[in-house]
Amino acid sequence: MNGSGTKVRTGRSGGQASAGDLLELVRTGRATTRGALQQVTGLSRATVGQRLDRLFRAGWLREGAGGPVESPLGGRPSITLEFDDGHAVVLAADLDTRHARAAVLSLGGELLAEHSGALAIQDGPEVVLGELGRWFAELLGKAGRAPGEVCGIGLAVPGPVDIDTGRVVQPPIMPGWDGYDIRGRLARAFTEHTGAGPVPVLVDNDANLMAYGEQRTGHPDCSAFVLVKVSTGIGAGVVVGGTVYRGIDGGAGDIGHIRVPEGAGALCRCGSYGCLAALASGGAVARRLAEAGVPAASGSDVRDLLASGHPEAVGLAREAGRQVGDVLATVVTLLNPGVLMIAGDLAGTPFVTGVRELLYQRALPRSTAHLEVVTSRLGERAGLVGAGALVVEHLYAPERVEERLLELGV
């Protein structure tokens, strides 16, 4: 029931709730007993039983411990229903410019096996995605799971993605990837290295998936959440109402290519001058350090220098934070988020201090009165968790559940 006590019919076409709708209610915890499902959907006891039976036969639901007694007259406790997050696994990978991470995850987001290693995105999609296929095969062995248990693959990439096609669109730091069929190649690589049949592959921008993973894990009640990743480049992920906001074609959040006056002479990797990323990214800081005689070639090198307290790296990171904070004042004024999370190679105290200095100086007090400025909880695993969640939410969405049940013959 809703707040007024009215029954809620959740069928997507205005009709009766489907088996997929019932699974959604159980997964989200809105209704976890047969009686509660009847109340929320208005379905009869027999109809609820029939639809639940399909979900049990698919192996997607299980019975848990007894819940509270639903009748005021007493009686036996009702049996709770639970989504069985062990019936399949998800594969996830997160690509950066020079290295990558990959993992096997349960449907509930638990990491069952993980690997990270050098993998240069400039080597191109054929090489990189083929190598990921090999990593996935090895990780399944480590996790003790069979290739046939994989229900899907999620991939985070450092570039704008057309979510409908899974192809990157004019990515500044991914030479050779523009318009490439990532989904098809990664599906083939998985099959080549495991012998399993094809599985769905979903692709999204890394900052989007980091934001999705962090918001769902640590800030589920935050209705407007912004994550800014500052590594070799700069990008932002926005989650509004529990859903990633991507814009009309995947370009939302690309704040690294906002022009800033003080960067007028800085050439960005996108080919333009004056982009924020050319001035304040991990790559830009590394370049300035190298010019000063400090060995640094990427954001990860800057991260290592910051960890050791290198004074010049600390100073440049704080300056970069101030430059990013100036841009974020506009972002915060526009979106009015409850949480602004700083993540990536530069997300340490010097950089965050710089962000805070300019953000609170430039943004209206009304926009920052209830704002939390925090750093990543999941760290380098955020993209993996978000990629896994993307796959699960896609495959177990009510409309997709109906299709999959029919494919299973239940």
Side-chain angles (χ1 to χ4, degrees):
M1 295 186 183
N2 63 16
S4 62
T6 306
K7 290 178 180 177
V8 178
R9 295 184 183 273
T10 55
R12 290 304 184 265
S13 60
Q16 289 191 327
S18 66
D21 290 313
L22 298 192
L23 183 64
E24 179 82 354
L25 290 169
V26 173
R27 285 184 59 233
T28 58
R30 290 173 57 198
T32 56
T33 66
R34 288 170 173 80
L37 289 170
Q38 289 175 241
Q39 288 183 314
V40 170
T41 63
L43 296 176
S44 69
R45 180 177 180 179
T47 302
V48 167
Q50 290 168 356
R51 293 181 181 172
L52 290 178
D53 181 60
R54 298 177 68 199
L55 298 172
F56 278 113
R57 282 187 284 144
W60 298 351
L61 277 187
R62 64 188 175 201
E63 291 186 341
V69 177
E70 295 181 343
S71 170
L73 301 177
R76 290 187 300 177
S78 56
I79 300 298
T80 60
L81 302 170
E82 300 174 351
F83 178 62
D84 186 350
D85 62 9
H87 74 265
V89 294
V90 173
L91 297 175
D94 185 3
L95 297 180
D96 210 330
T97 52
R98 300 199 304 171
H99 67 278
R101 304 181 77 88
V104 181
L105 298 95
S106 74
L107 300 181
E110 179 187 0
L111 270 74
L112 306 177
E114 183 182 7
H115 174 74
S116 63
L119 198 57
I121 208 161
Q122 66 182 13
D123 289 343
E126 283 288 330
V127 172
V128 171
L129 299 176
E131 184 67 1
L132 283 183
R134 186 179 68 80
W135 286 12
F136 285 151
E138 294 177 354
L139 283 168
L140 286 169
K142 291 179 182 178
R145 305 303 290 257
E149 296 180 78
V150 175
C151 65
I153 300 172
L155 177 65
V157 298
V161 176
D162 182 332
I163 196 67
D164 293 328
T165 65
R167 298 171 188 253
V168 291
V169 182
Q170 299 177 358
I173 59 175
M174 299 178 69
W177 291 72
D178 186 21
Y180 184 85
D181 181 16
I182 296 175
R183 289 177 179 176
R185 176 67 182 106
L186 189 52
R188 290 194 304 275
F190 169 71
T191 297
E192 289 165 5
H193 288 279
T194 65
V199 296
V201 176
L202 299 180
V203 186
D204 202 350
N205 170 262
D206 55 357
N208 284 348
L209 293 180
M210 290 173 70
Y212 194 43
E214 294 278 8
Q215 188 271 337
R216 288 170 58 89
T217 302
H219 304 273
D221 297 325
C222 181
S223 60
F225 178 96
V226 175
L227 177 144
V228 178
K229 179 186 178 184
V230 185
S231 291
T232 298
I234 301 176
V238 180
V239 181
V240 177
T243 301
V244 176
Y245 178 74
R246 300 182 176 89
I248 60 170
D249 61 2
D254 204 1
I255 66 170
H257 299 286
I258 292 175
R259 305 289 177 83
V260 290
E262 58 267 45
L267 176 62
C268 183
R269 296 179 70 170
C270 73
S272 298
Y273 286 88
C275 294
L276 179 64
L279 191 68
S281 65
V285 173
R287 184 173 60 253
R288 292 181 66 181
L289 287 168
E291 290 170 354
V294 180
S298 68
S300 58
D301 292 334
V302 177
R303 178 191 60 205
D304 294 340
L305 290 167
L306 290 172
S308 67
H310 190 283
E312 192 151 2
V314 168
L316 289 174
R318 183 163 181 168
E319 181 183 342
R322 288 171 58 84
Q323 292 158 341
V324 172
D326 197 9
V327 170
L328 290 179
T330 301
V331 173
V332 166
T333 301
L334 177 65
L335 297 177
N336 189 211
V339 175
L340 171 63
M341 179 173 284
I342 309 299
D345 291 329
L346 265 61
T349 300
F351 184 87
V352 175
T353 299
V355 167
R356 288 176 177 273
E357 287 177 7
L358 262 288
L359 173 62
Y360 287 104
Q361 177 183 326
R362 299 291 171 85
L364 291 172
R366 172 70 180 81
S367 301
T368 58
H370 303 289
L371 176 68
E372 291 182 68
V373 180
V374 301
T375 54
S376 172
R377 284 185 170 192
L378 297 175
E380 294 182 340
R381 293 174 170 170
L384 295 176
V385 173
L390 182 73
V391 173
V392 172
E393 292 305 316
H394 170 74
L395 292 179
Y396 294 92
E399 59 276 13
R400 185 72 180 105
V401 163
E402 288 302 308
E403 297 174 9
R404 295 178 65 207
L405 289 174
L406 291 173
E407 291 170 1
L408 292 171
V410 298

